[in-house]
Amino acid sequence: MTVGNRGRRQPSLAQLRAFSAVAEHLHFRDAAAAIGMSQPALSGAVSALEETLGVTLVERTTRKVLLSPAGERLSVRAKAVLEDIGALIEEAEALRAPFTGVFRLGVIPTVAPYLLPTVLRQVRTRYPHLDLQVHEEQTASLLEGLSAGRLDLLLLAVSPPAAKDSPATSTASAAASSAAAASPAAGGSGRGRSYGVPGMTEVPLFDEDFVLVTPPDHPLGGRTRLPRAVLRELNLLLLDEGHCLRDQALDICREAGRDGVAATTTAAGLSTLVQLVAGGLGVTLLPRTAVEVETGRAGRLRTACFTDPAPSRRIALVMRTGAARAAEYEELAVALREAMADLPVRIVPDAA
């Protein structure tokens, strides 16, 4: 507890963090786990904040937690204060020295296994004093983490310029509620998510094609100029809901004239998806960077390439617009483009 110049008691940051976590989770145990505090300590911090402010913030029952009308209003203020404090700390860290301190990178599961070796090698070699922390999560969770300040930078599949009519380094401008939604990509230049979260900037790295993965005896295996129209009739296996690669595959099917895909069999990851193909349950679409790793694990699989322009996705770094370390992230993007030139991708130039 601190005392202001006029003797008025002021809330502590710990109290504000505790209340903000309860407001977000509406559950004391989950809120305590989210901020690494014991449940009794969190409850005490919220009670102390209520005493300091002189209002009831939380209505406690035996089964659930509700925000009072005052809690609803003040939770917005508390979140804003914490975000400002986070920005202050972030800027101070950046001013000390570039590429030092903690750097929290979020990566989607359909990118992490195939690009992280390159990313980690670059960071170790070029930025030895950077404390890199990697978080593999689905897109919606990563975007929320970036917006809330839990993460510093994301490695995602995004919409290419042709799909969203904007420069390759662009700021999303739609409502934050559409973060997990996406519009289908146009043409064949690529697809990804136009996440629609205000205040986020994309820095593109590369575009990569999708290929069709089939069992060894499939008639399309080995084809090199495959028309997309074949997707209308194939038994296409997909990832579970929540994976952006699932949405990208469905976009490709829609462009090929297929209304939907019956999800009779799904998988939580690409490794399982490829094993299902190897077992003869169907075919699937893989990004080129995943092909060597995943088909090598399964063995006896074949691939087929689409005619140009092949369906593809764009991979980019995503940061908060105006981030204190924006110049470092741009420099990292340049280093990653150089390092990824040997991958089966098309590097996006700096000014693309």
Side-chain angles (χ1 to χ4, degrees):
M1 190 78 64
T2 59
V3 179
N5 292 335
R6 298 180 181 178
R8 180 183 299 173
R9 292 187 302 174
Q10 297 180 355
S12 69
L13 288 178
Q15 293 169 0
L16 292 176
R17 289 193 185 97
F19 170 54
S20 186
V22 171
E24 178 182 353
H25 295 279
L26 295 178
H27 194 289
F28 275 90
R29 185 179 64 245
D30 294 346
I35 62 174
M37 181 183 286
S38 71
Q39 190 170 334
L42 178 128
S43 181
V46 173
S47 296
L49 180 60
E50 290 177 318
E51 181 182 349
T52 297
L53 299 178
V55 295
T56 299
L57 301 172
V58 177
E59 297 177 4
R60 303 164 176 84
T61 70
T62 56
R63 295 188 176 182
K64 59 183 178 180
V65 175
L66 297 175
L67 294 182
S68 69
E72 291 279 1
R73 293 185 60 180
L74 294 179
S75 66
V76 178
R77 293 275 191 177
K79 182 178 180 181
V81 169
L82 293 172
E83 288 177 350
D84 286 343
I85 292 295
L88 174 68
I89 294 172
E90 179 184 355
E91 187 162 357
E93 289 177 346
L95 289 172
R96 285 201 298 269
F99 293 107
T100 60
V102 175
F103 172 42
R104 300 160 298 180
L105 176 68
V107 191
I108 54 175
T110 57
V111 163
Y114 323 113
L115 298 186
L116 274 182
T118 300
V119 173
L120 296 177
R121 186 165 53 250
Q122 283 296 305
V123 169
R124 266 197 317 269
T125 303
R126 294 190 178 221
Y127 317 117
H129 301 295
L130 195 64
D131 179 12
L132 177 63
Q133 300 175 2
V134 178
H135 300 261
E136 183 187 44
E137 302 169 21
Q138 292 188 3
T139 302
S141 176
L142 291 177
L143 289 168
E144 179 188 12
L146 182 64
S147 179
R150 177 172 61 85
L151 300 172
D152 301 311
L153 189 68
L154 308 182
L155 188 57
L156 299 180
V158 303
S159 297
K164 61 185 178 184
D165 193 27
S166 64
T169 302
S170 60
T171 303
S173 60
S177 61
S178 64
S183 56
S189 60
R191 64 256 321 113
R193 305 293 89 186
S194 183
Y195 296 110
V197 180
M200 291 193 185
T201 297
E202 300 167 10
V203 184
L205 299 177
F206 63 81
D207 298 330
E208 63 174 330
D209 292 340
F210 284 96
V211 300
L212 187 71
V213 180
T214 74
D217 56 351
H218 197 281
L220 297 181
R223 294 272 297 273
T224 57
R225 296 182 59 83
L226 199 64
R228 292 192 218 187
V230 301
L231 294 172
R232 298 173 189 169
E233 306 299 332
L234 293 175
N235 181 23
L236 189 66
L237 303 177
L238 300 173
L239 290 174
D240 291 337
E241 294 278 358
H243 288 278
C244 62
L245 190 60
R246 173 192 175 91
D247 298 326
Q248 293 155 10
L250 291 173
D251 286 349
I252 295 169
C253 289
R254 279 191 287 268
E255 291 174 7
R258 182 170 179 169
D259 291 334
V261 177
T264 56
T265 300
T266 60
L270 289 184
S271 296
T272 302
L273 199 64
V274 170
Q275 292 294 338
L276 294 175
V277 173
L281 295 187
V283 301
T284 196
L285 293 169
L286 283 187
R288 286 288 302 274
T289 51
V291 170
E292 182 177 355
V293 172
E294 298 302 343
T295 59
R297 289 173 179 166
R300 300 186 65 246
L301 288 173
R302 303 187 74 187
T303 59
C305 299
F306 292 92
T307 55
D308 290 331
S312 63
R313 69 175 184 174
R314 171 161 289 185
I315 302 300
L317 298 176
V318 179
M319 61 179 159
R320 289 183 296 276
T321 302
R325 305 179 77 169
E328 295 175 51
Y329 302 155
E330 294 278 1
E331 182 178 332
L332 176 62
V334 172
L336 291 179
R337 291 189 196 103
E338 294 175 358
M340 293 172 179
D342 293 333
L343 298 176
V345 302
R346 296 182 297 280
I347 299 297
V348 179
D350 284 350

